[in-house]
Amino acid sequence: MIKDIRSYKLCYEGISDERDALAIKGLAEHPMEIVVTEIETSDGYLGYGESLAYGCSDAVQATLEKILKPLLLGEDEELIGHLWEKMYKATLRFGRRGIVIAGISGVDIALWDLMGKKTKKPIYKLLGGSKKRVKAYITGGYYSDKKDIDKLREEEAYYVKNGFKGIKVKIGAKSMEEDLERLKAIREVVGEDVRIAVDANNVYSYEEALEMGRKLEALNIWFFEEPIQTDYLDLSAKLALELRIPIAGYETAFTRWEFYEIMRKGAVDIVQTDAMWTGGISEMMKIGNLAKVMGYPLIPHYSAGGISLIANLHVASALGLEWIEMHLRKNDLRDKIFNKKIPIEDGHLVVPDSPGLGFTIRDEVFEKYTCK
């Protein structure tokens, strides 16, 4: 039985001045900010989940405390699917995406962590998975006043030196010509055997994305992520038809219903989603299986704390996925939230075999990183 639910707003202040295109075009770069959900059962188990909270942690926490918690207290924590539907239906008038689904995501991940701990099995095995390692590509190449072309080349060479065979670079904040020069410089230093993807963070118009996509094709770019706003699915489908380069996205969509429309319309060639904001592990599994049915590859998105990264990794194992996204930007909410490091072997994330998520939270985390 669920005895209590607690939530914690965590912020990391050590983020550098690195920015993506969305930040430079007038919208603030999100802080490294998450909401962690802690669920306690009557028999003494604790489960942990993570919610998307890019500058909106107050609202996410309020949703957890005032709306979701009263729905869940006294319920059987093992009825994960039932509890997901209860939360989703109860928030009909104001949910469906955004902050409410972020709150549900954190609860769902925590419930799966609990289930694993109670059964003494890692989540990926509960989900039917067997894959022990998943290839990681590293997202970097952010814009910074301190990062010239030489610094950019050094950064990307570092990723490759550490065994990663895929990298992703931010585009869209500079002119197309400048971004293409950045990509050419990176290709020179990483070689032809490393996959290079790009991420425009939704800033292009359709016409700009079409023009840039054609230029990217000449550079043998792996995929073109979120070229336009997620709302314009028909235009994204036109891009996918017009361009040879695969269109990837849209991590900024929520739940299986939005992703069904994305796939039905052919708006992408590669599906990207994230357990911390699409509805948790339960919903990410549904989206992943839907992608399998409809013939789309899925690559999990990642951009926040360690809990969501590991949740995505369990799903990647369960679905037998080839790739997962990873960052190496300085981030204590990824690197210092657990009592042990997230293992990386030869460019692969190692799927944990301990119960639940497979990691325990450091005792001092909630005090040390509480948002001011």
Side-chain angles (χ1 to χ4, degrees):
M1 180 185 297
I2 295 176
K3 178 182 177 181
D4 198 9
I5 298 176
R6 295 174 286 271
S7 58
Y8 305 90
K9 298 182 297 180
L10 303 184
C11 293
Y12 174 58
E13 304 297 335
I15 287 294
S16 70
D17 70 338
E18 292 185 323
R19 306 176 300 274
D20 59 22
L22 190 63
I24 290 181
K25 290 196 179 255
L27 297 174
E29 171 89 341
H30 65 78
M32 190 50 64
E33 182 178 357
I34 61 175
V35 174
V36 172
T37 298
E38 180 184 64
I39 300 180
E40 181 182 1
T41 66
S42 56
D43 49 358
Y45 286 93
L46 294 174
Y48 294 94
E50 178 185 329
S51 295
L52 163 76
Y54 293 165
C56 60
S57 58
D58 289 340
V60 174
Q61 187 176 55
T63 298
L64 286 160
E65 296 290 339
K66 295 183 178 181
I67 300 166
L68 301 181
K69 179 176 177 177
L71 294 171
L72 299 171
L73 291 179
E75 289 277 8
D76 183 346
E77 71 278 2
E78 295 183 8
L79 303 179
I80 299 175
H82 163 72
L83 297 179
W84 198 98
E85 293 296 333
K86 183 176 184 179
M87 291 185 288
Y88 189 74
K89 290 176 180 176
T91 55
L92 169 67
R93 292 180 177 87
F94 52 88
R96 295 300 179 268
R97 57 191 335 265
I99 287 165
V100 170
I101 300 300
I104 291 174
S105 299
V107 169
D108 184 82
I109 294 169
L111 290 173
W112 278 104
D113 188 30
L114 280 171
M115 182 69 84
K117 288 171 177 173
K118 294 187 72 173
T119 60
K120 296 180 171 54
K121 294 183 182 296
I123 292 171
Y124 80 93
K125 286 187 177 178
L126 296 178
L127 298 172
S130 61
K131 196 165 187 177
K132 301 295 186 181
R133 305 195 316 170
V134 181
K135 273 191 293 188
Y137 77 79
I138 301 301
T139 293
Y142 285 83
Y143 297 100
S144 169
D145 296 336
K146 302 174 183 176
K147 190 188 298 182
D148 58 17
I149 287 286
D150 288 338
K151 290 287 186 183
L152 180 64
R153 289 163 60 97
E154 288 175 13
E155 174 194 345
E156 303 298 342
Y158 172 79
Y159 301 147
V160 175
K161 182 180 178 180
N162 280 272
F164 297 100
K165 301 299 184 184
I167 56 177
K168 188 170 73 183
V169 181
K170 297 295 182 176
I171 64 170
K174 295 182 178 290
S175 69
M176 293 184 191
E177 290 70 24
E178 289 175 290
D179 277 337
L180 290 168
E181 287 305 311
R182 294 169 74 240
L183 290 169
K184 289 174 184 176
I186 291 169
R187 175 62 77 191
E188 288 174 1
V189 75
V190 303
E192 294 296 329
D193 294 333
V194 174
R195 300 189 187 204
I196 301 176
V198 297
D199 184 0
N201 289 104
N202 312 93
V203 300
Y204 288 131
S205 67
Y206 167 78
E207 291 78 11
E208 290 170 334
L210 183 61
E211 181 182 354
M212 187 58 167
R214 286 175 173 154
K215 295 177 186 296
L216 294 172
E217 288 173 344
L219 297 181
N220 193 30
I221 296 299
W222 180 14
F223 61 77
F224 187 3
E225 181 176 335
E226 294 200 315
I228 62 176
Q229 288 186 41
T230 311
D231 310 286
Y232 302 141
L233 296 186
D234 290 329
L235 288 178
S236 189
K238 280 184 67 177
L239 278 177
L241 283 173
E242 289 280 347
L243 296 173
R244 296 192 313 276
I245 183 174
I247 302 299
Y250 276 87
E251 82 217 20
T252 40
F254 294 80
T255 74
R256 77 199 84 153
W257 291 280
E258 285 197 52
F259 277 94
Y260 172 70
E261 286 301 303
I262 287 171
M263 288 182 263
R264 184 183 69 83
K265 289 176 177 287
V268 298
D269 301 290
I270 299 169
V271 175
Q272 294 170 308
T273 188
D274 190 327
M276 74 170 179
W277 66 9
T278 200
I281 288 172
S282 299
E283 197 67 3
M284 190 172 174
M285 283 293 297
K286 290 181 173 67
I287 293 165
N289 282 315
L290 181 62
K292 283 188 174 185
V293 169
M294 300 180 75
Y296 288 91
L298 187 147
I299 301 178
H301 164 265
Y302 170 70
S303 65
I307 295 173
S308 63
L309 175 61
I310 298 304
N312 288 341
L313 181 58
H314 281 286
V315 174
S317 171
L319 293 171
L321 304 181
E322 182 180 5
W323 291 92
I324 189 170
E325 182 176 13
M326 175 74 175
H327 287 246
L328 290 180
R329 303 168 79 186
K330 186 171 173 53
N331 175 11
D332 284 4
L333 299 184
R334 178 194 65 227
D335 297 330
K336 295 187 178 180
I337 196 168
F338 299 129
N339 279 318
K340 60 182 180 181
K341 289 185 177 181
I342 298 170
I344 300 173
E345 294 178 354
D346 189 30
H348 293 70
L349 291 183
V350 179
V351 185
D353 249 330
S354 300
L357 288 166
F359 293 87
T360 54
I361 306 293
R362 290 181 187 272
D363 293 336
E364 67 273 16
V365 160
F366 297 131
E367 180 179 351
K368 183 174 181 180
Y369 296 103
T370 296
C371 296
K372 297 176 182 178

